[in-house]
mmCIF file of all heavy atoms in Angstrom:
data_model
loop_
_atom_site.group_PDB
_atom_site.id
_atom_site.type_symbol
_atom_site.label_atom_id
_atom_site.label_comp_id
_atom_site.label_asym_id
_atom_site.label_seq_id
_atom_site.Cartn_x
_atom_site.Cartn_y
_atom_site.Cartn_z
ATOM 1 N N VAL J 196 159.544 59.520 100.055
ATOM 2 C CA VAL J 196 159.723 58.933 101.404
ATOM 3 C C VAL J 196 159.954 57.434 101.299
ATOM 4 O O VAL J 196 160.814 56.884 101.992
ATOM 5 C CB VAL J 196 158.487 59.204 102.309
ATOM 6 C CG1 VAL J 196 158.712 58.614 103.694
ATOM 7 C CG2 VAL J 196 158.194 60.678 102.377
ATOM 8 N N SER J 283 154.604 58.035 110.276
ATOM 9 C CA SER J 283 155.961 58.383 110.676
ATOM 10 C C SER J 283 156.043 58.562 112.192
ATOM 11 O O SER J 283 157.029 58.152 112.832
ATOM 12 C CB SER J 283 156.393 59.657 109.947
ATOM 13 O OG SER J 283 157.778 59.839 110.025
ATOM 14 N N ALA J 286 156.132 55.175 113.663
ATOM 15 C CA ALA J 286 157.485 54.612 113.518
ATOM 16 C C ALA J 286 158.412 55.181 114.571
ATOM 17 O O ALA J 286 159.233 54.474 115.154
ATOM 18 C CB ALA J 286 158.032 54.906 112.107
ATOM 19 N N GLY J 290 160.370 53.272 117.817
ATOM 20 C CA GLY J 290 161.850 53.367 117.816
ATOM 21 C C GLY J 290 162.453 53.003 116.479
ATOM 22 O O GLY J 290 163.621 52.639 116.388
ATOM 23 N N ARG J 291 161.690 53.154 115.406
ATOM 24 C CA ARG J 291 162.191 52.766 114.083
ATOM 25 C C ARG J 291 162.764 53.943 113.307
ATOM 26 O O ARG J 291 163.432 53.755 112.312
ATOM 27 C CB ARG J 291 161.073 52.136 113.255
ATOM 28 C CG ARG J 291 160.390 50.974 113.918
ATOM 29 C CD ARG J 291 159.334 50.380 113.011
ATOM 30 N NE ARG J 291 159.941 49.722 111.880
ATOM 31 C CZ ARG J 291 160.253 48.425 111.837
ATOM 32 N NH1 ARG J 291 160.002 47.656 112.867
ATOM 33 N NH2 ARG J 291 160.830 47.915 110.782
ATOM 34 N N VAL J 292 162.441 55.145 113.744
ATOM 35 C CA VAL J 292 162.845 56.315 112.944
ATOM 36 C C VAL J 292 163.085 57.512 113.868
ATOM 37 O O VAL J 292 162.490 57.600 114.953
ATOM 38 C CB VAL J 292 161.773 56.605 111.866
ATOM 39 C CG1 VAL J 292 160.606 57.380 112.438
ATOM 40 C CG2 VAL J 292 162.354 57.341 110.683
ATOM 41 N N GLU J 293 163.948 58.406 113.419
ATOM 42 C CA GLU J 293 164.215 59.601 114.228
ATOM 43 C C GLU J 293 163.160 60.673 113.966
ATOM 44 O O GLU J 293 162.608 60.757 112.875
ATOM 45 C CB GLU J 293 165.594 60.165 113.887
ATOM 46 C CG GLU J 293 166.711 59.307 114.432
ATOM 47 C CD GLU J 293 168.068 59.768 113.923
ATOM 48 O OE1 GLU J 293 168.247 60.985 113.720
ATOM 49 O OE2 GLU J 293 168.919 58.888 113.732
ATOM 50 N N VAL J 296 162.944 62.880 110.789
ATOM 51 C CA VAL J 296 162.406 62.329 109.551
ATOM 52 C C VAL J 296 160.950 62.716 109.381
ATOM 53 O O VAL J 296 160.468 63.088 108.301
ATOM 54 C CB VAL J 296 162.593 60.781 109.519
ATOM 55 C CG1 VAL J 296 161.824 60.162 108.352
ATOM 56 C CG2 VAL J 296 164.060 60.422 109.474
ATOM 57 N N VAL J 339 153.043 50.358 106.852
ATOM 58 C CA VAL J 339 154.266 50.617 106.106
ATOM 59 C C VAL J 339 154.945 51.775 106.835
ATOM 60 O O VAL J 339 154.363 52.861 106.951
ATOM 61 C CB VAL J 339 153.943 51.033 104.634
ATOM 62 C CG1 VAL J 339 155.206 51.356 103.895
ATOM 63 C CG2 VAL J 339 153.185 49.898 103.952
ATOM 64 N N LEU J 340 156.117 51.511 107.396
ATOM 65 C CA LEU J 340 156.749 52.507 108.265
ATOM 66 C C LEU J 340 158.149 52.841 107.793
ATOM 67 O O LEU J 340 158.947 51.959 107.421
ATOM 68 C CB LEU J 340 156.789 51.969 109.709
ATOM 69 C CG LEU J 340 155.453 51.623 110.351
ATOM 70 C CD1 LEU J 340 155.661 51.063 111.752
ATOM 71 C CD2 LEU J 340 154.544 52.827 110.402
ATOM 72 N N PRO J 341 158.502 54.146 107.834
ATOM 73 C CA PRO J 341 159.831 54.556 107.361
ATOM 74 C C PRO J 341 160.925 54.216 108.371
ATOM 75 O O PRO J 341 160.663 54.215 109.595
ATOM 76 C CB PRO J 341 159.704 56.057 107.205
ATOM 77 C CG PRO J 341 158.617 56.464 108.147
ATOM 78 C CD PRO J 341 157.679 55.298 108.265
ATOM 79 N N THR J 342 162.110 53.925 107.852
ATOM 80 C CA THR J 342 163.293 53.863 108.723
ATOM 81 C C THR J 342 164.162 55.098 108.513
ATOM 82 O O THR J 342 164.958 55.469 109.360
ATOM 83 C CB THR J 342 164.153 52.613 108.374
ATOM 84 O OG1 THR J 342 164.447 52.643 106.975
ATOM 85 C CG2 THR J 342 163.415 51.327 108.681
ATOM 86 N N CYS J 343 163.986 55.718 107.350
ATOM 87 C CA CYS J 343 164.647 56.992 107.006
ATOM 88 C C CYS J 343 163.891 57.522 105.781
ATOM 89 O O CYS J 343 162.991 56.868 105.290
ATOM 90 C CB CYS J 343 166.131 56.739 106.662
ATOM 91 S SG CYS J 343 166.328 55.601 105.298
ATOM 92 N N ILE J 344 164.289 58.709 105.308
ATOM 93 C CA ILE J 344 163.669 59.153 104.046
ATOM 94 C C ILE J 344 164.256 58.300 102.933
ATOM 95 O O ILE J 344 165.474 58.222 102.771
ATOM 96 C CB ILE J 344 163.990 60.663 103.760
ATOM 97 C CG1 ILE J 344 163.447 61.559 104.866
ATOM 98 C CG2 ILE J 344 163.474 61.084 102.396
ATOM 99 C CD1 ILE J 344 161.958 61.760 104.892
ATOM 100 N N GLY J 345 163.395 57.610 102.195
ATOM 101 C CA GLY J 345 163.886 56.777 101.082
ATOM 102 C C GLY J 345 163.772 55.284 101.337
ATOM 103 O O GLY J 345 164.051 54.478 100.471
ATOM 104 N N HIS J 346 163.343 54.910 102.565
ATOM 105 C CA HIS J 346 163.177 53.468 102.832
ATOM 106 C C HIS J 346 162.043 53.220 103.815
ATOM 107 O O HIS J 346 161.943 53.884 104.842
ATOM 108 C CB HIS J 346 164.469 52.839 103.385
ATOM 109 C CG HIS J 346 164.326 51.361 103.564
ATOM 110 N ND1 HIS J 346 164.472 50.471 102.522
ATOM 111 C CD2 HIS J 346 163.963 50.618 104.619
ATOM 112 C CE1 HIS J 346 164.244 49.248 102.954
ATOM 113 N NE2 HIS J 346 163.947 49.298 104.235
ATOM 114 N N VAL J 347 161.245 52.218 103.510
ATOM 115 C CA VAL J 347 160.176 51.835 104.417
ATOM 116 C C VAL J 347 160.181 50.296 104.585
ATOM 117 O O VAL J 347 160.688 49.570 103.736
ATOM 118 C CB VAL J 347 158.755 52.246 103.886
ATOM 119 C CG1 VAL J 347 158.523 53.709 104.037
ATOM 120 C CG2 VAL J 347 158.535 51.776 102.439
ATOM 121 N N ASP J 348 159.610 49.845 105.694
ATOM 122 C CA ASP J 348 159.413 48.401 105.932
ATOM 123 C C ASP J 348 157.939 48.162 106.131
ATOM 124 O O ASP J 348 157.199 49.039 106.602
ATOM 125 C CB ASP J 348 160.109 47.969 107.254
ATOM 126 C CG ASP J 348 161.617 47.988 107.145
ATOM 127 O OD1 ASP J 348 162.128 47.706 106.053
ATOM 128 O OD2 ASP J 348 162.260 48.299 108.174
ATOM 129 N N VAL J 350 155.395 46.458 108.435
ATOM 130 C CA VAL J 350 155.471 45.995 109.830
ATOM 131 C C VAL J 350 154.117 45.417 110.213
ATOM 132 O O VAL J 350 153.096 46.121 110.198
ATOM 133 C CB VAL J 350 155.843 47.165 110.770
ATOM 134 C CG1 VAL J 350 155.881 46.714 112.226
ATOM 135 C CG2 VAL J 350 157.172 47.802 110.349
#
Side-chain angles (χ1 to χ4, degrees):
V196 181
S283 195
R291 305 182 69 92
V292 81
E293 287 172 33
V296 170
V339 178
L340 301 179
T342 54
C343 59
I344 299 287
H346 184 82
V347 286
D348 290 326
V350 179

